[in-house]
Amino acid sequence: MKTLNFTLLLFILFSNLLYSQKAENPITKKSLKDEILKMDSLLFDVAFNKCDLELYKKIMSPDLEFYDDRSGLTNSHESDIASFKDKCSRPFSVTRKLVSSSIHVLGKYGAVQIGVHEFYEDGKKVQKAKFITLWERKDKSWIVKRAISYDHEPASD
């Protein structure tokens, strides 16, 4: 009888632990990486590199905070859009290429992307920098909430 009571007690304790476990995040590491790399490509390969302002506005949060080691903080949506338009009005093209990145989940909020990118003027590499991007999950898409671009250095081929 004691064995039965002890077994029943263990069963109750362990079944309680099983039900109290938090649900796993439905996004797998692979799917998260694929989604963020797709968004990075839309943001830079399409919006930034091809000056697609409408797509850029959809991906960037209206309350974006952008930190840059050269210019400091930009936290005005209007300033961010003006900067984008200025880049696109130059007599030469400015493009960005992703060199490497790692992506990590931030709970149910979103993801952080940490990496290195290069910038080109008319196809010639001019700069390399590191970046950190906080991606927020909104409905079934992603937007950039915070971005840090730092350690800019001239290109050395």
Side-chain angles (χ1 to χ4, degrees):
M1 187 70 174
K2 285 183 180 181
T3 306
L4 181 60
N5 286 341
F6 181 71
T7 305
L8 185 58
L9 178 63
L10 282 177
F11 177 76
I12 292 169
L13 285 173
F14 282 112
S15 63
N16 243 359
L17 286 174
L18 290 173
Y19 285 109
S20 68
Q21 295 295 315
K22 290 182 181 178
E24 289 280 326
N25 191 335
I27 298 175
T28 65
K29 284 184 181 184
K30 169 126 178 56
S31 68
L32 177 68
K33 182 177 180 180
D34 291 346
E35 286 184 39
I36 297 301
L37 287 176
K38 177 183 173 189
M39 292 306 300
D40 181 274
S41 178
L42 284 173
L43 175 58
F44 286 103
D45 296 342
V46 180
F48 185 86
N49 291 351
K50 296 179 181 174
C51 292
D52 185 333
L53 180 59
E54 293 310 309
L55 179 58
Y56 184 81
K57 286 179 183 179
K58 286 180 185 175
I59 296 173
M60 304 304 273
S61 172
D63 63 343
L64 169 75
E65 288 182 3
F66 179 72
Y67 301 86
D68 187 285
D69 61 348
R70 300 159 302 170
S71 59
L73 171 64
T74 300
N75 62 352
S76 158
H77 185 65
E78 293 77 24
S79 294
D80 183 51
I81 298 302
S83 177
F84 183 87
K85 287 178 178 178
D86 177 62
K87 177 204 89 79
C88 293
S89 68
R90 295 179 185 163
F92 52 89
S93 71
V94 176
T95 55
R96 179 263 199 179
K97 178 184 174 191
L98 179 65
V99 175
S100 63
S101 75
S102 61
I103 298 155
H104 309 275
V105 69
L106 293 175
K108 292 183 181 182
Y109 175 80
V112 61
Q113 180 184 19
I114 304 165
V116 176
H117 49 194
E118 298 171 333
F119 294 92
Y120 295 77
E121 289 179 3
D122 285 337
K124 181 179 182 230
K125 183 168 57 168
V126 295
Q127 203 168 63
K128 189 174 189 176
K130 297 174 183 169
F131 70 93
I132 302 170
T133 304
L134 293 180
W135 292 91
E136 181 181 8
R137 182 85 168 162
K138 282 286 195 183
D139 301 318
K140 293 184 179 187
S141 191
W142 297 89
I143 61 169
V144 174
K145 190 72 168 183
R146 306 285 180 260
I148 303 170
S149 190
Y150 64 100
D151 201 22
H152 287 82
E153 55 186 51
S156 56
D157 283 329

